[in-house]
Amino acid sequence: MSKTASQDLGTLPISKLLVKQAIPASIGILVMSLNILVDTIFVGQWIGSTAIAAINVVLPVSFFIAALGMSIGVGGSSIISRALGANNPDKALKTFGNQITLTLVLTISMVIVGLWFIDGIVPAFGGKGNILEPAKIYYTIVLYGVPFLALSMMGNTVIRAEGKPKFAMYAMMIPSVGNLILDYIFINLLDLGMAGAAWATTLAYVFCFAFIFWFFLSKNSELKIKKYHFGLHKPIVLEIASLGFVTLARQAVVSITYLFMNNILFNLGGETSVTAYAIVGRMLMFALFPVYGITQGFLPIAGFNYGAFKYARVKESIYTAIKYAAGLATLVFILLMVFPEAITRLFTDNAEVMLQTPPAMRWVFAATPIIALQLIGAAYFQAIGKARQALLLTLLRQGFFFIPLIFILPIFYGELGVWIAFPISDVLATIVTAYFLNREIIKNLNPESEPISQAT
């Protein structure tokens, strides 16, 4: 294989490379997050605050199915990055073909199951009272577009693994812009209500898929797969599954968290509390976009250089990513501590929601400055193919700490206990991640070590 964009991952200076990878990733995540944010504002202003809660009920279900595609994408892209770093293009091509096959089979199956059991799933995730009917409308339509979203999320991670962050950014921007335009047409102009919001989202997923499909057919992609690459290859499938399970488990825990949070908050404060959580949840997706962008940019750099046995560069990429991400996270923290009332007012003018959301937002983001270490640490182990460590660190915050805390703390502090569970779980997860990452750096990222000892 001739000199390609992916080989820049092993030669350019780390700081320059991380900026090159992270800026497009951050812009893409920003636009996607703005889409979710503005979509929620449109829904709240044009349909009502109950519609915000309805969307919040549906998101964990649709996102979990779509996360099948992302998990297959992240797991396979780790293999692709390391294969390209080791100059093994055939393995990269087989992996990509297997990713496509797995994504199609699993997501379509999950959508069928999701639609079949709609009457049980929607109420279980908090679709109760006045929230039920709009949630069912949104759920049914959005699920039709979820396979396109899953394929897009899978393809996006592969584009990054090739070292083409700008195209990955475009892929994230297209559905975001499309969704906002369609929101205005379907909700505001055509007055289609929740159905209009759902169709805008679904068609946006289709637009994203169309762009990614074009990318891999064009000369911009190194991965030109043939029909035989789509046949499932057991060793590759198992490696994709072990690494991808980390991402899938994270999204599964996120979905379970939404289920518990919506039900706990509905019991404590009714629809108002669920709406407050929906607004705070949107800010969690939006406000941390630069931190997530650095994490996304870090993944192919660490994976490629680990595959090429360039351990000094791997270690440098860890420290640089944490430094940049921590600085940006601190800026986000300051803004959210100062302006939570103004942010809440963008979504709704409901007096009860306005009273409850700002203090909740301050608690939820209280530990934001330290989360960079937590995110980069978990991403590192996934990038280099160490699935067990990546799974443990990924599930730490929500699985081991947050979920137990939201059941325990409200016994003593009521609804406040739910909100203070966020910073407590962030602090605990960061401490544990720091321990494992430091041990890994000392033990396995010594540039003088033999490559065999590092590759195991």
Side-chain angles (χ1 to χ4, degrees):
M1 183 179 285
S2 60
K3 170 74 172 168
T4 62
S6 64
Q7 292 173 331
D8 287 343
L9 297 170
T11 57
L12 291 179
I14 292 297
S15 293
K16 180 179 179 180
L17 190 58
L18 187 61
V19 171
K20 179 183 177 183
Q21 290 284 331
I23 288 179
S26 297
I27 293 173
I29 293 170
L30 170 62
V31 175
M32 184 177 69
S33 302
L34 273 173
N35 164 47
I36 295 171
L37 194 69
V38 177
D39 182 53
T40 306
I41 293 171
F42 285 172
V43 167
Q45 297 293 338
W46 293 339
I47 304 177
S49 60
T50 301
I52 297 177
I55 293 177
N56 202 53
V57 167
V58 175
L59 275 180
V61 182
S62 61
F63 272 25
F64 174 72
I65 299 174
L68 287 167
M70 175 173 276
S71 61
I72 292 167
V74 172
S77 295
S78 172
I79 303 171
I80 290 171
S81 289
R82 285 179 282 122
L84 293 174
N87 197 26
N88 187 355
D90 186 58
K91 185 175 183 180
L93 292 169
K94 287 180 181 178
T95 301
F96 184 39
N98 278 224
Q99 285 177 290
I100 295 172
T101 302
L102 287 170
T103 302
L104 281 170
V105 171
L106 291 176
T107 57
I108 291 174
S109 300
M110 289 294 292
V111 166
I112 293 171
V113 172
L115 291 171
W116 186 266
F117 293 102
I118 181 174
D119 290 327
I121 291 174
V122 173
F125 276 83
K128 303 170 184 177
N130 294 330
I131 301 174
L132 177 60
E133 286 308 314
K136 287 179 69 174
I137 293 170
Y138 192 83
Y139 175 94
T140 302
I141 297 171
V142 165
L143 244 61
Y144 292 131
V146 165
F148 294 102
L149 175 61
L151 286 166
S152 299
M153 294 172 82
M154 182 275 294
N156 194 274
T157 61
V158 177
I159 294 173
R160 293 190 193 286
E162 286 195 61
K164 305 287 179 62
K166 287 186 179 180
F167 285 98
M169 175 186 72
Y170 300 149
M172 297 175 76
M173 293 175 67
I174 288 172
S176 301
V177 175
N179 189 23
L180 297 181
I181 294 172
L182 292 172
D183 265 343
Y184 177 74
I185 295 171
F186 291 162
I187 303 175
N188 196 40
L189 296 183
L190 300 180
D191 196 25
L192 296 179
M194 286 301 294
W199 278 117
T201 299
T202 295
L203 291 176
Y205 296 160
V206 176
F207 295 159
C208 183
F209 168 75
F211 174 80
I212 288 177
F213 186 73
W214 164 82
F215 171 83
F216 286 112
L217 291 180
S218 73
K219 63 181 181 180
N220 297 295
S221 174
E222 301 170 36
L223 299 174
K224 302 302 180 187
I225 58 176
K226 307 296 182 182
K227 287 183 179 179
Y228 67 88
H229 290 132
F230 292 101
L232 296 179
H233 189 60
K234 186 176 179 180
I236 290 177
V237 170
L238 291 176
E239 192 171 0
I240 290 174
S242 65
L243 294 171
F245 183 73
V246 176
T247 299
L248 185 62
R250 177 173 60 240
Q251 188 56 47
V253 173
V254 169
S255 297
I256 292 170
T257 300
Y258 270 92
L259 185 154
F260 289 148
M261 286 287 288
N262 284 334
N263 282 281
I264 289 170
L265 288 172
F266 187 87
N267 292 332
L268 290 171
E271 294 165 9
T272 299
S273 295
V274 176
T275 303
Y277 176 50
I279 293 172
V280 172
R282 295 305 174 279
M283 291 309 300
L284 279 169
M285 295 178 186
F286 166 72
L288 297 175
F289 78 89
V291 182
Y292 294 140
I294 290 173
T295 305
Q296 289 292 317
F298 164 78
L299 279 165
I301 299 171
F304 186 99
N305 285 285
Y306 193 87
F309 305 121
K310 297 180 178 181
Y311 304 117
R313 287 176 60 81
V314 176
K315 184 159 62 172
E316 184 184 353
S317 71
I318 294 171
Y319 292 143
T320 304
I322 291 174
K323 180 175 67 176
Y324 288 1
L328 292 168
T330 301
L331 291 176
V332 170
F333 167 78
I334 294 170
L335 290 172
L336 288 168
M337 293 301 108
V338 176
F339 301 111
E341 291 84 5
I343 292 168
T344 303
R345 198 171 292 112
L346 292 172
F347 294 91
T348 182
D349 56 4
N350 182 288
E352 293 183 358
V353 177
M354 281 296 304
L355 181 66
Q356 189 167 331
T357 305
M361 193 176 297
R362 286 191 173 99
W363 276 114
V364 168
F365 286 93
T368 298
I370 67 170
I371 66 168
L373 195 154
Q374 179 191 140
L375 292 173
I376 299 299
Y380 163 75
F381 286 102
Q382 195 165 14
I384 67 169
K386 294 192 175 183
R388 283 186 299 177
Q389 294 94 323
L391 179 62
L392 170 65
L393 297 179
T394 297
L395 296 183
L396 261 182
R397 180 190 175 273
Q398 287 185 300
F400 293 109
F401 297 132
F402 183 72
I403 290 178
L405 286 172
I406 61 174
F407 283 99
I408 296 169
L409 294 180
I411 297 173
F412 304 99
Y413 303 106
E415 190 170 327
L416 175 62
V418 175
W419 305 125
I420 63 176
F422 282 88
I424 293 173
S425 57
D426 278 330
V427 170
L428 294 174
T430 299
I431 291 171
V432 176
T433 302
Y435 168 78
F436 278 100
L437 183 60
N438 184 62
R439 189 177 70 171
E440 168 72 15
I441 291 171
I442 293 172
K443 182 179 178 182
N444 292 326
L445 289 184
N446 182 355
E448 286 76 38
S449 298
E450 291 293 329
I452 283 181
S453 67
Q454 305 297 327
T456 54

